Amino acid sequence: MHHKQRVFEDTLRALMDETDSYLEDTYGELYPLHPNRLKRGNASSVSYDGLFSAWPQFSPGYGSKSGRGYVIDISISTLSQIPVKEREKIVMAGAEKIEELLPVYFPNRELHVIQEGNYYKIVGDFSLGDV
């Protein structure tokens, strides 16, 4: 992997970790944690503990109106049934936080969060010229 790509993805991972922490602070007490999931703060990464996990998944954008980008995957680790509207509210809050943080983590890029169908996606300038 190119060094600039590694820097970009590490920065994106840090943004997702901050989003994960935001979701934990805001919604972390709503549902009981899955029994196989570590409590918040007990894993080597915030992605592996607590109620939430926010991941960026690169998509080349084939068949997508918006083209390539990073699909935002926000998982909720519980055995409880979560009403669809509540799940949508939490995922939307995560997407809004990511949109808010993009200019902080990537000040020299035009990146935005869009909704495409049932998911949210980060789109924009992914060039390696200015990382």
Side-chain angles (χ1 to χ4, degrees), residues 31-103:
Y31 300 99
L33 193 60
H34 188 287
N36 289 339
R37 182 90 166 171
L38 293 173
K39 290 182 180 178
R40 184 179 185 190
N42 288 328
S44 61
S45 169
V46 299
S47 299
Y48 303 123
D49 64 17
L51 189 60
F52 298 98
S53 177
W55 284 95
Q57 297 288 329
F58 182 76
S59 170
Y62 303 130
S64 166
K65 292 178 183 176
S66 61
R68 67 189 180 133
Y70 286 83
V71 174
I72 298 167
D73 179 14
I74 296 176
S75 300
I76 306 172
S77 298
T78 185
L79 293 176
S80 296
Q81 292 293 324
I82 302 172
V84 172
K85 293 290 184 193
E86 186 68 23
R87 181 180 297 275
E88 289 172 353
K89 174 183 169 186
I90 292 168
V91 172
M92 184 173 69
E96 289 171 351
K97 186 64 172 178
I98 292 166
E99 178 75 23
E100 174 188 320
L101 293 173
L102 281 170

Coordinates of all heavy atoms in Angstrom, one line a residue, residues 31-103:
Y31 N -29.0 0.0 25.2 CA -29.3 -1.4 25.1 C -28.2 -2.2 25.8 O -27.0 -1.7 25.9 CB -29.2 -1.8 23.6 CG -30.3 -1.1 22.8 CD1 -30.0 0.1 22.1 CD2 -31.6 -1.5 22.8 CE1 -31.0 0.7 21.4 CE2 -32.6 -0.8 22.1 CZ -32.3 0.3 21.4 OH -33.3 1.0 20.7
P32 N -28.5 -3.4 26.3 CA -27.5 -4.2 26.9 C -26.5 -4.7 25.9 O -26.8 -5.0 24.7 CB -28.3 -5.4 27.5 CG -29.5 -5.5 26.7 CD -29.8 -4.1 26.2
L33 N -25.2 -4.7 26.3 CA -24.1 -5.2 25.4 C -24.2 -6.7 25.1 O -24.6 -7.5 26.0 CB -22.8 -4.9 26.2 CG -21.5 -5.0 25.4 CD1 -21.5 -4.0 24.3 CD2 -20.4 -4.7 26.4
H34 N -23.9 -7.1 23.9 CA -23.9 -8.5 23.5 C -22.9 -9.2 24.5 O -21.9 -8.7 24.9 CB -23.4 -8.6 22.1 CG -23.5 -10.0 21.6 ND1 -22.7 -11.0 22.0 CD2 -24.3 -10.5 20.7 CE1 -23.0 -12.2 21.3 NE2 -24.0 -11.9 20.5
P35 N -23.3 -10.4 25.0 CA -22.5 -11.1 26.0 C -21.1 -11.4 25.5 O -20.2 -11.5 26.4 CB -23.3 -12.4 26.3 CG -24.6 -12.3 25.6 CD -24.6 -11.1 24.7
N36 N -20.8 -11.5 24.2 CA -19.5 -11.8 23.7 C -18.7 -10.6 23.4 O -17.6 -10.7 22.9 CB -19.6 -12.7 22.5 CG -20.0 -14.1 22.8 OD1 -19.9 -14.6 23.9 ND2 -20.5 -14.8 21.8
R37 N -19.2 -9.4 23.7 CA -18.5 -8.2 23.4 C -17.9 -7.6 24.7 O -18.6 -7.6 25.7 CB -19.6 -7.2 22.8 CG -19.1 -5.9 22.4 CD -18.6 -5.9 21.0 NE -18.4 -4.5 20.6 CZ -17.9 -4.1 19.5 NH1 -17.5 -5.1 18.6 NH2 -17.7 -2.9 19.2
L38 N -16.7 -7.1 24.6 CA -16.1 -6.5 25.8 C -16.7 -5.2 26.1 O -17.2 -4.5 25.2 CB -14.6 -6.3 25.5 CG -13.7 -7.5 25.3 CD1 -12.3 -7.1 24.9 CD2 -13.6 -8.3 26.6
K39 N -16.7 -4.8 27.4 CA -17.2 -3.5 27.8 C -16.3 -2.4 27.2 O -15.1 -2.7 27.0 CB -17.2 -3.4 29.3 CG -18.2 -4.3 30.0 CD -18.3 -4.1 31.5 CE -19.3 -5.0 32.0 NZ -19.4 -4.9 33.5
R40 N -16.9 -1.2 27.1 CA -16.1 -0.1 26.6 C -14.8 0.1 27.3 O -14.8 0.1 28.5 CB -17.0 1.1 26.6 CG -16.4 2.4 26.0 CD -17.3 3.5 26.1 NE -16.8 4.7 25.4 CZ -17.3 5.9 25.5 NH1 -18.3 6.1 26.2 NH2 -16.7 6.9 24.8
G41 N -13.7 0.3 26.6 CA -12.4 0.6 27.1 C -11.6 -0.6 27.5 O -10.5 -0.5 28.0
N42 N -12.1 -1.8 27.2 CA -11.4 -3.1 27.5 C -10.8 -3.8 26.4 O -10.3 -4.9 26.6 CB -12.4 -4.0 28.3 CG -12.7 -3.5 29.7 OD1 -11.9 -2.9 30.3 ND2 -13.9 -3.8 30.1
A43 N -10.8 -3.2 25.2 CA -10.1 -3.8 24.0 C -9.0 -2.9 23.5 O -8.9 -1.7 23.9 CB -11.1 -4.1 22.9
S44 N -8.2 -3.4 22.7 CA -7.1 -2.6 22.1 C -7.6 -1.5 21.2 O -6.9 -0.6 20.8 CB -6.1 -3.5 21.4 OG -6.8 -4.2 20.3
S45 N -8.8 -1.6 20.7 CA -9.4 -0.6 19.8 C -10.9 -0.4 20.2 O -11.6 -1.3 20.6 CB -9.3 -1.1 18.4 OG -10.1 -0.3 17.5
V46 N -11.3 0.8 20.0 CA -12.7 1.1 20.3 C -13.7 0.4 19.4 O -14.9 0.2 19.6 CB -13.1 2.6 20.2 CG1 -12.3 3.4 21.3 CG2 -12.9 3.2 18.9
S47 N -13.2 -0.1 18.3 CA -14.0 -0.9 17.3 C -14.3 -2.3 17.9 O -15.3 -2.9 17.4 CB -13.2 -1.1 16.0 OG -12.9 0.1 15.4
Y48 N -13.6 -2.7 18.8 CA -13.8 -4.1 19.3 C -14.4 -4.1 20.7 O -14.6 -5.2 21.3 CB -12.4 -4.8 19.4 CG -11.8 -4.9 18.1 CD1 -10.5 -4.4 17.9 CD2 -12.4 -5.4 16.9 CE1 -9.8 -4.4 16.7 CE2 -11.8 -5.4 15.7 CZ -10.5 -4.9 15.6 OH -9.9 -4.9 14.4
D49 N -14.9 -3.0 21.2 CA -15.5 -3.0 22.5 C -16.7 -2.1 22.5 O -16.9 -1.3 21.6 CB -14.6 -2.8 23.7 CG -13.9 -1.4 23.7 OD1 -14.4 -0.5 23.0 OD2 -12.9 -1.2 24.4
G50 N -17.5 -2.1 23.6 CA -18.6 -1.2 23.7 C -19.8 -1.6 22.8 O -19.7 -2.6 22.0
L51 N -20.8 -0.8 22.8 CA -22.0 -1.2 22.1 C -21.9 -0.9 20.6 O -22.5 -1.6 19.8 CB -23.2 -0.3 22.6 CG -24.6 -0.6 22.1 CD1 -25.0 -2.1 22.5 CD2 -25.6 0.3 22.8
F52 N -21.0 0.0 20.2 CA -21.0 0.4 18.8 C -19.6 0.1 18.1 O -18.6 0.0 18.8 CB -21.2 1.9 18.6 CG -22.6 2.3 19.1 CD1 -22.8 2.8 20.4 CD2 -23.7 2.1 18.3 CE1 -24.0 3.1 20.8 CE2 -25.0 2.4 18.7 CZ -25.1 3.0 20.0
S53 N -19.7 0.0 16.8 CA -18.5 -0.1 16.0 C -18.8 0.6 14.7 O -19.7 0.3 14.0 CB -18.2 -1.6 15.7 OG -17.1 -1.7 14.8
A54 N -17.9 1.6 14.4 CA -18.1 2.4 13.2 C -16.9 2.1 12.3 O -15.7 2.3 12.6 CB -18.1 3.9 13.5
W55 N -17.2 1.6 11.1 CA -16.2 1.2 10.1 C -16.4 1.8 8.8 O -17.5 1.9 8.3 CB -16.2 -0.3 9.9 CG -15.6 -1.1 11.0 CD1 -16.3 -1.7 12.0 CD2 -14.3 -1.5 11.1 NE1 -15.4 -2.4 12.8 CE2 -14.2 -2.3 12.3 CE3 -13.1 -1.2 10.4 CZ2 -13.0 -2.8 12.8 CZ3 -11.9 -1.7 10.9 CH2 -11.8 -2.5 12.1
P56 N -15.3 2.3 8.1 CA -15.4 2.7 6.7 C -15.1 1.5 5.8 O -14.1 0.9 6.0 CB -14.3 3.8 6.6 CG -13.3 3.3 7.6 CD -14.0 2.6 8.7
Q57 N -15.9 1.3 4.8 CA -15.7 0.2 3.9 C -15.6 0.8 2.5 O -16.6 1.3 2.0 CB -16.9 -0.8 3.9 CG -17.0 -1.5 5.2 CD -15.9 -2.6 5.5 OE1 -15.4 -3.1 4.6 NE2 -15.6 -2.7 6.8
F58 N -14.4 0.7 1.9 CA -14.2 1.3 0.5 C -15.1 0.5 -0.5 O -15.2 -0.7 -0.5 CB -12.8 1.2 0.1 CG -12.6 1.9 -1.3 CD1 -12.6 3.3 -1.4 CD2 -12.5 1.1 -2.4 CE1 -12.5 3.9 -2.6 CE2 -12.3 1.7 -3.6 CZ -12.3 3.1 -3.8
S59 N -15.7 1.3 -1.3 CA -16.6 0.8 -2.4 C -16.1 1.4 -3.7 O -16.0 2.7 -3.8 CB -18.0 1.1 -2.2 OG -18.8 0.8 -3.3
P60 N -15.8 0.7 -4.7 CA -15.4 1.2 -6.0 C -16.5 2.0 -6.7 O -16.3 2.7 -7.7 CB -14.9 0.1 -6.8 CG -15.5 -1.1 -6.2 CD -15.7 -0.8 -4.8
G61 N -17.8 1.7 -6.2 CA -18.9 2.5 -6.7 C -19.6 2.0 -8.0 O -20.3 2.7 -8.6
Y62 N -19.3 0.7 -8.3 CA -19.9 0.2 -9.5 C -21.4 0.1 -9.3 O -21.9 -0.4 -8.3 CB -19.4 -1.2 -9.8 CG -17.9 -1.3 -10.0 CD1 -17.1 -2.2 -9.3 CD2 -17.2 -0.4 -10.9 CE1 -15.8 -2.3 -9.5 CE2 -15.9 -0.5 -11.0 CZ -15.1 -1.4 -10.3 OH -13.8 -1.4 -10.5
G63 N -22.2 0.7 -10.2 CA -23.6 0.7 -10.1 C -24.2 1.8 -9.1 O -25.3 1.8 -8.9
S64 N -23.3 2.6 -8.6 CA -23.7 3.7 -7.7 C -23.7 5.0 -8.4 O -22.9 5.3 -9.3 CB -22.6 3.8 -6.6 OG -22.8 4.9 -5.8
K65 N -24.7 5.8 -8.1 CA -24.8 7.1 -8.7 C -23.7 8.1 -8.3 O -23.3 8.9 -9.0 CB -26.2 7.8 -8.3 CG -27.3 7.1 -9.0 CD -28.6 7.7 -8.5 CE -29.8 7.0 -9.1 NZ -31.1 7.5 -8.7
S66 N -23.2 7.8 -7.1 CA -22.2 8.7 -6.5 C -20.8 8.3 -6.8 O -19.8 9.0 -6.4 CB -22.4 8.9 -5.0 OG -22.3 7.6 -4.4
G67 N -20.6 7.1 -7.3 CA -19.2 6.6 -7.6 C -18.6 6.0 -6.4 O -19.2 5.6 -5.4
R68 N -17.2 6.0 -6.4 CA -16.5 5.4 -5.4 C -16.6 6.2 -4.1 O -16.9 7.4 -4.1 CB -15.0 5.2 -5.8 CG -14.3 6.5 -5.9 CD -12.9 6.3 -6.6 NE -12.3 7.6 -6.7 CZ -11.0 7.8 -6.4 NH1 -10.3 6.9 -5.9 NH2 -10.5 9.0 -6.5
G69 N -16.3 5.5 -3.0 CA -16.4 6.2 -1.7 C -16.2 5.2 -0.6 O -16.0 4.0 -0.8
Y70 N -16.4 5.6 0.6 CA -16.4 4.8 1.8 C -17.8 4.6 2.4 O -18.3 5.6 2.9 CB -15.4 5.3 2.9 CG -14.0 5.1 2.5 CD1 -13.3 6.0 1.6 CD2 -13.2 4.1 2.9 CE1 -12.0 5.9 1.3 CE2 -11.9 3.9 2.6 CZ -11.3 4.8 1.7 OH -10.0 4.6 1.4
V71 N -18.3 3.4 2.4 CA -19.6 3.2 3.0 C -19.4 3.1 4.5 O -18.5 2.5 5.0 CB -20.2 1.8 2.4 CG1 -21.5 1.5 3.2 CG2 -20.4 1.9 0.9
I72 N -20.3 3.8 5.2 CA -20.2 3.9 6.6 C -21.0 2.7 7.2 O -22.2 2.6 7.0 CB -20.8 5.2 7.1 CG1 -19.9 6.4 6.5 CG2 -20.8 5.3 8.6 CD1 -20.6 7.7 6.7
D73 N -20.3 1.9 8.0 CA -20.9 0.7 8.6 C -20.9 1.0 10.1 O -19.9 1.0 10.7 CB -20.2 -0.5 8.2 CG -20.7 -1.8 8.9 OD1 -21.9 -1.7 9.4 OD2 -20.0 -2.8 8.9
I74 N -22.1 1.2 10.7 CA -22.2 1.4 12.1 C -23.0 0.2 12.7 O -24.2 0.0 12.4 CB -23.0 2.7 12.5 CG1 -22.1 3.8 12.0 CG2 -23.2 2.8 14.0 CD1 -22.7 5.2 12.2
S75 N -22.3 -0.7 13.4 CA -22.9 -1.9 14.0 C -23.2 -1.6 15.5 O -22.5 -0.9 16.2 CB -21.9 -3.0 13.9 OG -21.6 -3.3 12.6
I76 N -24.3 -2.3 15.9 CA -24.8 -2.2 17.3 C -24.7 -3.6 17.9 O -25.4 -4.5 17.4 CB -26.2 -1.6 17.4 CG1 -26.2 -0.2 16.7 CG2 -26.6 -1.4 18.9 CD1 -27.6 0.4 16.5
S77 N -23.8 -3.8 18.8 CA -23.6 -5.1 19.4 C -24.5 -5.4 20.6 O -24.1 -5.2 21.7 CB -22.1 -5.3 19.8 OG -21.3 -5.1 18.7
T78 N -25.7 -5.9 20.3 CA -26.6 -6.3 21.3 C -27.5 -7.4 20.8 O -27.6 -7.6 19.6 CB -27.5 -5.1 21.7 OG1 -28.4 -5.5 22.8 CG2 -28.4 -4.6 20.6
L79 N -28.1 -8.2 21.7 CA -29.0 -9.2 21.4 C -30.4 -8.7 21.4 O -31.4 -9.3 20.9 CB -28.9 -10.4 22.3 CG -27.6 -11.2 22.3 CD1 -27.6 -12.3 23.3 CD2 -27.4 -11.8 20.9
S80 N -30.6 -7.4 21.9 CA -31.9 -6.8 21.9 C -32.4 -6.5 20.5 O -31.7 -6.1 19.6 CB -31.9 -5.5 22.8 OG -31.5 -5.8 24.1
Q81 N -33.7 -6.5 20.4 CA -34.4 -6.0 19.2 C -34.4 -4.5 19.2 O -34.9 -3.9 20.2 CB -35.8 -6.5 19.1 CG -35.9 -8.0 18.8 CD -35.3 -8.5 17.5 OE1 -35.5 -7.8 16.5 NE2 -34.7 -9.6 17.5
I82 N -33.8 -3.9 18.2 CA -33.8 -2.4 18.1 C -34.8 -2.0 17.1 O -34.8 -2.4 15.9 CB -32.4 -1.9 17.7 CG1 -31.4 -2.4 18.7 CG2 -32.4 -0.4 17.6 CD1 -29.9 -2.2 18.3
P83 N -35.8 -1.2 17.4 CA -36.8 -0.7 16.5 C -36.1 0.0 15.3 O -35.1 0.7 15.4 CB -37.6 0.3 17.2 CG -37.4 -0.1 18.7 CD -36.0 -0.6 18.8
V84 N -36.6 -0.2 14.1 CA -36.0 0.3 12.9 C -35.8 1.8 13.0 O -34.7 2.3 12.6 CB -36.9 -0.1 11.6 CG1 -36.4 0.6 10.4 CG2 -36.9 -1.6 11.4
K85 N -36.8 2.5 13.5 CA -36.7 4.0 13.6 C -35.5 4.4 14.5 O -34.8 5.3 14.3 CB -38.0 4.6 14.0 CG -39.1 4.5 13.0 CD -38.8 5.4 11.8 CE -40.0 5.3 10.9 NZ -39.6 5.9 9.6
E86 N -35.4 3.6 15.6 CA -34.3 3.9 16.5 C -32.9 3.6 15.9 O -32.0 4.4 16.0 CB -34.5 3.1 17.8 CG -33.5 3.5 18.9 CD -33.6 4.9 19.5 OE1 -34.7 5.4 19.4 OE2 -32.6 5.4 20.0
R87 N -32.8 2.5 15.2 CA -31.6 2.2 14.5 C -31.2 3.3 13.5 O -30.1 3.7 13.4 CB -31.7 0.8 13.8 CG -30.4 0.4 13.1 CD -30.5 -1.0 12.5 NE -30.7 -2.0 13.4 CZ -29.8 -2.7 14.1 NH1 -28.5 -2.3 13.9 NH2 -30.1 -3.6 14.9
E88 N -32.2 3.7 12.7 CA -32.0 4.7 11.7 C -31.5 6.0 12.4 O -30.7 6.7 11.8 CB -33.3 5.0 10.9 CG -33.6 3.8 10.0 CD -35.0 4.0 9.3 OE1 -35.8 4.9 9.7 OE2 -35.3 3.2 8.4
K89 N -32.1 6.4 13.5 CA -31.8 7.6 14.2 C -30.3 7.5 14.7 O -29.6 8.5 14.5 CB -32.7 7.8 15.4 CG -32.3 8.9 16.4 CD -33.2 8.9 17.6 CE -32.7 9.9 18.6 NZ -33.6 9.8 19.8
I90 N -29.9 6.4 15.2 CA -28.5 6.2 15.7 C -27.5 6.3 14.5 O -26.5 7.0 14.6 CB -28.3 4.9 16.4 CG1 -29.1 5.0 17.8 CG2 -26.9 4.6 16.7 CD1 -29.3 3.7 18.5
V91 N -27.8 5.6 13.4 CA -26.9 5.6 12.3 C -26.8 7.0 11.6 O -25.8 7.5 11.3 CB -27.4 4.5 11.2 CG1 -26.6 4.7 9.9 CG2 -27.2 3.1 11.8
M92 N -28.0 7.7 11.6 CA -28.0 9.0 11.0 C -27.1 10.0 11.9 O -26.4 10.8 11.4 CB -29.4 9.6 10.9 CG -29.4 11.0 10.3 SD -31.1 11.6 9.9 CE -31.7 11.8 11.6
A93 N -27.2 9.8 13.3 CA -26.4 10.6 14.2 C -24.9 10.4 13.9 O -24.1 11.3 14.0 CB -26.8 10.3 15.6
G94 N -24.6 9.1 13.7 CA -23.2 8.8 13.4 C -22.7 9.4 12.1 O -21.6 10.0 12.0
A95 N -23.6 9.4 11.1 CA -23.3 10.0 9.8 C -23.1 11.5 9.9 O -22.2 12.1 9.3 CB -24.3 9.6 8.7
E96 N -24.0 12.1 10.7 CA -23.9 13.5 10.9 C -22.6 13.9 11.6 O -22.0 14.9 11.3 CB -25.1 14.0 11.7 CG -26.4 14.0 10.8 CD -27.6 14.3 11.6 OE1 -27.6 14.4 12.9 OE2 -28.7 14.5 11.0
K97 N -22.2 13.1 12.6 CA -20.9 13.3 13.3 C -19.8 13.2 12.4 O -18.8 14.0 12.4 CB -20.8 12.4 14.5 CG -19.6 12.7 15.4 CD -19.8 14.0 16.0 CE -18.7 14.3 17.1 NZ -18.9 15.6 17.7
I98 N -19.8 12.2 11.5 CA -18.7 12.1 10.5 C -18.6 13.3 9.6 O -17.5 13.8 9.3 CB -18.9 10.7 9.7 CG1 -18.7 9.5 10.6 CG2 -18.0 10.7 8.5 CD1 -19.1 8.2 10.1
E99 N -19.8 13.7 9.1 CA -19.8 14.9 8.3 C -19.2 16.1 9.0 O -18.5 16.9 8.4 CB -21.3 15.3 7.8 CG -21.4 16.5 7.0 CD -20.9 16.4 5.6 OE1 -20.9 15.2 5.0 OE2 -20.6 17.4 5.0
E100 N -19.5 16.3 10.3 CA -19.0 17.4 11.1 C -17.5 17.2 11.3 O -16.7 18.3 11.3 CB -19.6 17.3 12.5 CG -19.1 18.3 13.5 CD -19.7 18.0 14.9 OE1 -20.9 17.7 15.0 OE2 -18.9 18.1 15.9
L101 N -16.9 16.0 11.4 CA -15.5 15.8 11.6 C -14.7 15.8 10.4 O -13.4 16.0 10.5 CB -15.3 14.5 12.4 CG -15.9 14.4 13.8 CD1 -15.8 13.0 14.4 CD2 -15.1 15.4 14.7
L102 N -15.2 15.6 9.2 CA -14.4 15.5 8.0 C -13.5 16.7 7.8 O -12.3 16.5 7.5 CB -15.3 15.2 6.8 CG -15.8 13.8 6.6 CD1 -16.9 13.7 5.5 CD2 -14.7 12.9 6.3
P103 N -14.0 17.9 7.9 CA -13.1 19.1 7.7 C -12.0 19.2 8.8 O -11.0 19.8 8.6 CB -14.0 20.3 7.7 CG -15.3 19.9 8.2 CD -15.4 18.4 8.1

